[in-house]
Structures are given as structure tokens and as C-alpha cells.
Amino acid sequence: MRDEQRGRTAAPGPRSRFGVPGHRSPPTGTEPATARSALRLRQLLSAVFLPLFAAATAGFALWAARQGPGDSPGSGPLTALAVVCGVLTLAAALDLVVVTGRRRRERAADTSRPGSRR
């Protein structure tokens, strides 16, 4: 960067790479090493919303199938809602599988440590 008024070259600031794909700023503390997700909460939310989204998918799909020509809402928007709910069902199922695996690995690691009470 060139300072046009003084003719000097300014050093780029710490935010000069912000937003550039492929470049990460260096960690500033211990957060990457100690950051943890609330796995119990994620598991609870996935377990609650998985059947909810599955039921909504089936409901919207059946409603769209029973729509006749000229009915409001049409089968197009209902089909779109069924697809969106289906995608959310898959996301909740995938998250439930991932979280369950992580919790299982954490429990296995905790029990293998000396002095563990689990």
C-alpha cells in the first residue's frame, strides 16, 4: 500500500487478508484448541426436529398429491415445502449421527484415562 501524500509504503494492517479465500489469520488465543460444541444440545435438537421435519415432509407431500387443478395453494409450492422439509430431515439425521459418534468417542476417551470415574 502506498501513502500517496508522503511517498512512503505503508505496511499492510492485520486485517489486510480478511475476506480473501484460502487465507486465515493466525489464532489469537487458545480458542481453537479448547473450543467445544454443545453436543448434548445438538443431540436434543436433532432428536426433536428429525421426526417433526419428517412428519412435515410427509404432510406436505400428501397435501400436494391431493391438490387438484385450480386449488389454492397449488401443488408446486406444497411440493417445494415438502422438498425443503425433506432436506431439513436429512440434515437433522446427519447431525444426529455425527453428534452421537462424537459423544461415543468422547466417552471412550474419558474412560480410558487413568483416574476416570465413568
Side-chain angles (χ1 to χ4, degrees), residues 62-86:
L62 288 173
W63 190 9
R66 294 181 184 198
Q67 289 296 93
D71 287 347
S72 181
S75 63
L78 294 173
T79 303
L81 284 171
V83 168
V84 168
C85 287

Side-chain angles (χ1 to χ4, degrees), residues 16-78:
S16 64
R17 289 187 172 182
F18 183 76
V20 178
H23 293 285
R24 290 186 178 174
S25 55
T28 58
T30 61
E31 66 274 7
T34 61
R36 293 180 57 149
S37 174
L39 293 180
R40 277 190 215 160
L41 179 62
R42 279 179 58 189
Q43 189 174 28
L44 174 69
L45 289 173
S46 294
V48 167
F49 283 105
L50 177 66
L52 182 76
F53 286 136
T57 301
F60 283 127
L62 288 173
W63 190 9
R66 294 181 184 198
Q67 289 296 93
D71 287 347
S72 181
S75 63
L78 294 173

